[in-house]
Amino acid sequence: MKTVLPAPDISRAIVRIAHEILERYDGADSITLLGIPTRGAHLATRIAAAINAIEGGQVAVGTLDTTMHRDDLRTRSPKALLPTLIPTAGVEGRHVVLVDDVLFSGRTIRAALDALGEIGRPTSVSLAVLVDRGHRELPIKADFVGKNIPTSRSEIIKVNLVEVDGTDEVTIAEGGVK
Amino acid sequence: MKHLLSINDLSRDESILILDTAAELARISDGPMKKLPTLRGRTIVNLFAEDSTRTRISFEAAAKRLSADVINFSAKGSSLSKGESLKDTAQTLQAMGADAVVIRHPASGAPFRLADNQWMSGAVINAGDGTHEHPSQALLDAYTIRKHLGKGAKDLAGLRVAIVGDILHSRVARSNVLLLTKLGAHVTLVAPPTLLPFGVDSWPVIISYDLDSVIPQVDAIMMLRIQQERMHEIFFPSAREYSRYFGLNRDRINALNPNAIIMHPGPMNRGLEITADAADSARSVIVEQVSNGVSVRMAILYLLLGGAPIEGGIN
Amino acid sequence: MSYLLKNATMPNGSKADLAIHDSHFVAVSSLPKDHQVIDLAGKQVLPGLVDLHTHLREPGFEESETVATGSLSAVRGGFTAISAMANTSPVADTAGVVEQVYRLGQAAGLCDVFPIGAVTEGLNGQTLSEIGAMADSAARVRVFSDDGKCVFDPLIMRRALEYVKKFDGVIAQHAQEPTLTQDAQMNEGAMSAQLGLKGWPAVAEEAIIARDVLLAEHTKSRLHICHLTTAGGVEIIRWAKARGIQVTAEVTPHHLLLTDDYAKNYDPIFKVNPPLRLESDVLALRAGLADGTIDIVATDHAPHSSESKDCEWSVASFGMVGLETALSIVIKTMVETGAMNYEAVAQRLSIAPARIARYENHGQVLEVGSVANLTVVDTAAKWVVDRDLMSTRSKNTPFHGFELPGVVTHTFFSGKLVFGG
Ligand SMILES: [Zn+2]
């Protein structure tokens, strides 16, 4: 197991993503950040904090659970639901930025897009991820990427965040470890 | 968990998972998402061999919000009252590829027979069997109590609940005793001695014959329906005497704790076990129980059917 | 045919050779030369078993059992005499029906089939059937019972007890107070409370037993209590016997082993009348059987079609088959626990039932001059009950899959080897 993104790099990546988002949408007013629980939600909160630090104000931030929209439900035992918290402004007419920790097959994002479709019709939807590790199974790409980390399919990428794991770091390990 | 036949099928943690899932489902279906695709392509049969429009509609709404296909099979008055055709029906449902059967049946234990693997392989959900159990009702009752009185706790530890009325014939009472005590509540059963089952002393509850002494002590009071036919079976002398000793009226409401809630699984006999002003009082959560029922049943369907098919028998 | 049975273990534990010629035991020296020798080293012999409580379903319900299939089931279980209960269709309440059943038994030729006559017409509980005519018929009925139903009316019960004194008969009562057991499904207790099945209180059985021993005392007649199931019932019988009342009592094998815990998954294979009771009742029944308060074990063999058990509990039929497992259950519950020896087994399963019913050719001492009704058991062997391998026409045994001790290897009826060998 080795660290591919230490804590300072994570912080820098978050700030950079915040700047890129602001640049793309010309300010924070029309943006709604929706983090995908668990770690995506914490990243969304941090990006929101970074945006607020730059802009002043309060960017809209919430969470979007994809559990009930996944296409692999029947391959595993049912999971507990995680919170979906849509900011009061809703998604209608907003630039929604989905936030997740790792982009891999793209299936979680597809489920998130389906879930979002049930909620309303945003003006646009984009995607921010801390790590893009490749191996897409769907035509999905991230708009804002903390770091591209080429991996083999069997390797395991683990994002640790202080809020959940007590530490900030991204590690990579060989797969197939017992 | 493959079937939900009895509250005994659930551990404490599984019960809490159902309540938590229901809470989240209630939030998202009250808010952003009315319909979820989770059970698309799955077939749920409502097999109702006994009238219960409200339970059937509740399960149907839950299944449809999860995008399942619903088939209503109402067997009242048909030959389903004879045993052999319950087996035949089960095999028919199996042939139709039912992923789950929600069964309401007048015979205690009928869902257990349906879950017999030689009859059919789908999940069986007990929606009320005879005088045995009604697990989804107990789960929605626990959900309602937790929501109002839980103060954010996962379980019902320390809460005091009275269940009042025809305990002997009540499947709601049996399931609630099992579930509420599993979640840490203190349950008191209040009934005339004729309407308590022989053997009730082995249940983890307090027994009382005196409603007035119990009323000030509880956080929630659940009134059970008295069925008209019980009056012909000499369980108590008259409806008037029953109401006088075991009915919830204005005086008794006034003796309740300020925060206590009033519950009833419905349908109510207004004027018998509960007066109209009690049913409609501000403390009554009876209407809310109905809407909570849909969320709880969505949670049950999701947790039973939302995952990979499970091989083998009862949990 | 003649047989020399060598090295048999007798009921009292001694070793002996037994010689059979034609229908009787004879001296070994008087056997003809062409006899067959069977070595019974290590095997237990018992006088041919006698069942006082068998439902054969013929006439009327032949798809569940016939006299012939029931007879085959009986001899596989070691029985040489069985007693056909009266609740057939038509009911055995006339000389015609009891003679028909008796003749069907003779035609099957495997064991004696003694009909039991109904106490009341059509088991209606209201008018005495032609008890005298049945007693005088070719079937020579001595036991009368409305089994399945209780003779509830105390006046009818009194008259019946009085009437059978004329020919030394006995009334076998199915003790079940009907109003306390309306729609009852299982023992009333913690388990029925949990399962939401209507309870069948012990008092409903004990109240009738108490009433009837007092009636038997008053009429100075013979009363037999069918299938005792409660500790309280055992106490009442013990009290009545101490008073000198002419009462006898039976227990079924299933009530010696099973409790109402078996109902917990609602499998109606465990639904039986009277119901399975509590562990404390089981222990009281065993103690009562061991000390002789309970005189006999009777099977209450009650065959039912699979449809009537493959359904919800509350609509399923009451009853279990039992002829082929009875002796094994008694060995398991009474002998292996040290409560009884084989001399007592011979008493409870052969000698006492034959005496109660006045079956003169049965329950005799195994000695020269007696009728050669004999059961041979390999008591050391074990077997696994398989409902598909039984001889009874019905599969409703609660013991499917149970491993039980004691394998019946031979049954001799009136000197004929009717099973085994
Ligand atoms: Zn009987």
Side-chain angles (χ1 to χ4, degrees):
Chain A
M1 192 178 79
K2 73 172 200 243
T3 301
V4 288
L5 215 55
D9 291 8
I10 291 176
S11 301
R12 268 194 295 278
I14 285 168
V15 173
R16 179 168 48 75
I17 288 171
H19 278 288
E20 287 173 12
I21 290 172
L22 284 170
E23 207 163 300
R24 155 116 39 135
Y25 297 112
D26 197 18
D29 293 349
S30 59
I31 299 170
T32 296
L33 297 169
L34 291 180
I36 295 169
T38 306
R39 289 176 184 76
H42 294 296
L43 288 170
T45 307
R46 291 202 205 177
I47 292 168
I51 288 173
N52 294 343
I54 299 161
E55 289 277 290
Q58 285 287 319
V59 69
V61 59
T63 61
L64 182 66
D65 181 38
T66 61
T67 307
M68 300 299 269
H69 290 81
R70 294 191 66 92
D71 62 4
D72 58 356
L73 281 169
R74 296 192 69 173
T75 63
R76 47 190 195 125
S77 58
K79 288 219 263 200
L81 301 190
L82 297 165
T84 293
L85 301 162
I86 304 299
T88 43
V91 298
E92 209 75 30
R94 310 282 298 172
H95 293 295
V96 169
V97 183
L98 297 173
V99 182
D100 204 359
D101 52 354
V102 179
L103 180 58
F104 187 17
S105 69
R107 287 177 189 271
T108 301
I109 304 306
R110 187 208 60 81
L113 289 169
D114 282 359
L116 198 53
E118 296 284 338
I119 298 169
R121 187 176 180 283
T123 301
S124 74
V125 183
S126 58
L127 173 62
V129 297
L130 184 61
V131 173
D132 182 348
R133 61 169 294 188
H135 305 289
R136 215 76 74 239
E137 293 165 7
L138 295 170
I140 281 169
K141 85 177 208 354
D143 302 89
F144 313 100
V145 179
K147 188 174 167 76
N148 284 295
I149 301 177
T151 58
S152 78
R153 226 170 234 287
S154 64
E155 282 172 320
I156 295 166
I157 292 276
K158 174 88 172 65
V159 173
N160 295 301
L161 296 178
V162 170
E163 297 90 327
V164 191
D165 310 292
T167 176
D168 272 4
E169 80 180 331
V170 177
T171 62
I172 187 165
E174 285 304 317
V177 183
K178 300 252 160 64
Chain B
M1 189 169 67
K2 161 151 170 128
H3 305 297
L4 181 57
L5 305 177
S6 160
I7 292 295
N8 285 323
D9 291 343
L10 299 174
S11 66
R12 177 182 174 279
D13 288 350
E14 284 171 324
S15 309
I16 289 172
L17 174 61
I18 291 174
L19 303 189
D20 288 348
T21 305
E24 189 53 33
L25 287 167
R27 257 183 10 78
I28 57 181
S29 43
D30 280 352
M33 285 180 255
K34 289 282 170 255
K35 192 156 178 168
L36 296 164
T38 316
L39 298 183
R40 192 176 289 148
R42 324 230 30 199
T43 301
I44 295 171
V45 176
N46 282 326
L47 175 60
F48 275 58
E50 193 181 76
D51 264 345
S52 177
T53 311
R54 65 173 57 210
T55 304
R56 185 181 57 73
I57 287 175
S58 182
F59 269 108
E60 186 171 350
K64 287 185 167 164
R65 285 193 195 169
L66 292 170
S67 305
D69 297 320
V70 179
I71 298 172
N72 285 315
F73 186 111
S74 170
K76 185 153 196 284
S78 79
S79 55
L80 199 66
S81 56
K82 296 188 187 70
E84 53 199 319
S85 59
L86 179 62
K87 181 180 181 182
D88 292 345
T89 305
Q91 287 169 343
T92 305
L93 301 179
Q94 171 75 2
M96 287 165 51
D99 295 292
V101 176
V102 176
I103 177 175
R104 162 66 66 100
H105 199 285
S108 297
F112 284 72
R113 304 297 290 152
L114 205 61
D116 186 320
N117 279 323
Q118 292 163 339
W119 288 9
M120 58 169 290
S121 62
V124 178
I125 298 168
N126 183 357
D129 62 328
T131 54
H132 175 229
E133 278 206 51
H134 194 352
S136 65
Q137 176 72 40
L139 286 158
L140 80 86
D141 289 337
Y143 177 91
T144 305
I145 295 170
R146 188 178 82 163
K147 189 172 161 192
H148 282 270
L149 306 166
K151 300 195 178 85
K154 288 280 184 195
D155 63 10
L156 307 177
L159 291 174
R160 299 159 304 172
V161 182
I163 305 176
V164 185
D166 184 0
I167 309 295
L168 178 62
H169 300 98
S170 176
R171 50 194 172 213
V172 175
R174 276 179 184 72
S175 286
N176 262 307
V177 165
L178 293 170
L179 182 62
L180 300 181
T181 55
K182 196 186 290 278
L183 294 175
H186 303 299
V187 176
T188 303
L189 302 180
V190 188
T194 47
L195 288 175
L196 287 164
F198 183 88
V200 74
D201 35 322
S202 64
W203 293 7
V205 297
I206 298 165
I207 303 291
S208 172
Y209 309 137
D210 179 11
L211 182 56
D212 288 312
S213 69
V214 172
I215 287 264
Q217 318 271 351
V218 297
D219 302 303
I221 185 162
M222 190 183 298
M223 305 305 296
L224 299 176
R225 177 181 170 78
I226 285 286
Q227 285 178 325
Q228 298 295 330
E229 60 256 37
R230 302 301 168 222
M231 268 172 274
H232 308 302
E233 296 172 38
I234 354 169
F235 284 100
F236 45 86
S238 69
R240 202 165 65 180
E241 179 154 324
Y242 182 85
S243 300
R244 187 187 319 141
Y245 291 111
F246 298 99
L248 190 62
N249 53 29
R250 185 183 298 277
D251 288 345
R252 291 191 170 118
I253 289 179
N254 290 337
L256 281 166
N257 272 318
N259 296 320
I261 58 172
I262 298 168
M263 307 172 76
H264 193 298
M268 287 180 278
N269 281 314
R270 286 172 187 255
L272 183 47
E273 74 267 3
I274 190 163
T275 58
D277 49 351
D280 300 331
S281 94
R283 279 108 171 282
S284 166
V285 295
I286 295 168
V287 175
E288 191 197 316
Q289 282 173 275
V290 177
S291 56
N292 291 343
V294 177
S295 305
V296 166
R297 288 172 178 126
M298 284 174 80
I300 292 168
L301 292 173
Y302 163 61
L303 292 169
L304 277 178
L305 295 180
I310 300 165
E311 300 303 321
I314 299 167
N315 181 31
Chain C
M1 198 61 203
S2 308
Y3 298 92
L4 176 58
L5 311 179
K6 296 183 69 81
N7 306 312
T9 303
M10 301 295 281
N12 66 6
S14 66
K15 302 287 189 282
D17 295 345
L18 292 168
I20 297 173
H21 180 58
D22 289 338
S23 57
H24 285 69
F25 291 112
V26 298
V28 174
S29 56
S30 62
L31 268 182
K33 288 222 163 47
D34 63 342
H35 63 260
Q36 184 183 338
V37 177
I38 303 175
D39 184 10
L40 296 185
K43 301 226 171 77
Q44 178 71 50
V45 298
L46 297 166
L49 307 184
V50 177
D51 188 20
L52 220 53
H53 195 144
T54 326
H55 294 275
L56 290 179
R57 307 303 187 208
E58 187 177 6
F61 310 100
E62 290 84 356
E63 71 284 359
S64 296
E65 194 83 289
T66 64
V67 172
T69 59
S71 297
L72 184 58
S73 184
V75 298
R76 276 190 74 166
F79 290 89
T80 55
I82 55 179
S83 311
M85 272 298 174
N87 62 340
T88 47
S89 178
V91 169
D93 58 0
T94 62
V97 178
V98 294
E99 286 192 0
Q100 181 197 353
V101 172
Y102 181 67
R103 297 220 162 87
L104 286 166
Q106 290 200 310
L110 294 169
C111 61
D112 273 324
V113 176
F114 296 115
I116 289 176
V119 176
T120 63
E121 276 179 22
L123 311 176
N124 68 9
Q126 288 162 12
T127 37
L128 287 183
S129 55
E130 290 176 4
I131 288 175
M134 288 188 272
D136 283 344
S137 72
R140 291 179 44 78
V141 178
R142 289 294 176 272
V143 183
F144 293 86
S145 180
D146 276 0
D147 183 66
K149 291 190 172 165
C150 182
V151 181
F152 177 50
D153 185 323
L155 182 60
I156 296 285
M157 188 63 184
R158 175 196 173 148
R159 296 281 186 255
L161 283 165
E162 287 171 332
Y163 199 77
V164 297
K165 287 165 71 175
K166 176 169 179 280
F167 46 83
D168 191 27
V170 59
I171 302 293
Q173 175 67 298
H174 172 114
Q176 179 188 353
E177 215 283 350
T179 60
L180 285 174
T181 53
Q182 219 162 24
D183 302 323
Q185 297 294 323
M186 64 173 295
N187 178 54
E188 184 166 77
M191 187 54 76
S192 65
Q194 178 194 325
L195 296 178
L197 290 173
K198 194 152 183 211
W200 188 311
V203 62
E205 181 169 328
E206 292 156 4
I208 296 294
I209 298 173
R211 180 197 77 178
D212 287 355
V213 296
L214 295 174
L215 283 173
E217 179 175 46
H218 186 68
T219 57
K220 299 186 177 58
S221 186
R222 290 207 293 140
L223 170 69
H224 178 73
I225 300 295
C226 296
H227 41 53
L228 214 62
T229 67
T230 71
V234 177
E235 277 310 305
I236 296 167
I237 299 291
R238 193 172 280 134
W239 173 86
K241 285 189 166 180
R243 265 172 92 89
I245 297 169
Q246 296 182 77
V247 61
T248 53
E250 76 189 28
V251 62
T252 72
H254 45 272
H255 289 109
L256 288 173
L257 181 61
L258 305 175
T259 64
D260 68 351
D261 274 351
Y262 281 92
K264 69 169 179 291
N265 289 325
Y266 297 93
D267 185 346
I269 201 74
F270 298 106
K271 181 175 174 178
V272 65
N273 175 351
L276 301 176
R277 305 280 189 188
L278 307 176
E279 184 73 24
S280 52
D281 294 308
V282 167
L283 295 176
L285 292 169
R286 290 183 188 179
L289 184 63
D291 72 17
T293 303
I294 298 172
D295 302 80
I296 67 168
V297 173
T299 64
D300 198 4
H301 178 82
H304 286 292
S305 66
S306 57
E307 306 89 78
S308 62
K309 288 290 191 183
D310 227 359
C311 56
E312 304 93 303
W313 180 284
S314 57
V315 298
S317 301
F318 290 98
M320 307 170 162
V321 293
L323 286 167
E324 291 164 66
T325 47
L327 181 56
S328 290
I329 301 291
V330 170
I331 292 172
K332 179 182 173 72
T333 58
M334 302 303 296
V335 180
E336 292 196 339
T337 57
M340 275 175 25
N341 57 24
Y342 282 99
E343 206 163 15
V345 172
Q347 269 294 333
R348 306 289 189 274
L349 274 80
S350 176
I351 298 166
R355 188 193 65 231
I356 291 165
R358 308 297 193 238
Y359 298 158
E360 280 143 20
N361 287 344
H362 293 271
Q364 296 181 351
V365 181
L366 301 177
E367 62 186 17
V368 172
S370 294
V371 177
N373 291 321
L374 184 77
T375 300
V376 182
V377 198
D378 184 348
T379 55
K382 297 208 178 275
W383 62 296
V384 175
V385 180
D386 184 339
R387 61 185 167 225
D388 296 318
L389 298 179
M390 297 197 309
S391 292
T392 172
R393 190 166 271 188
S394 293
K395 298 183 190 302
N396 56 310
T397 173
F399 304 116
H400 179 69
F402 281 47
E403 191 189 63
L404 297 175
V407 173
V408 174
T409 60
H410 305 76
T411 305
F412 292 88
F413 167 58
S414 238
K416 282 183 302 184
L417 182 60
V418 288
F419 171 70

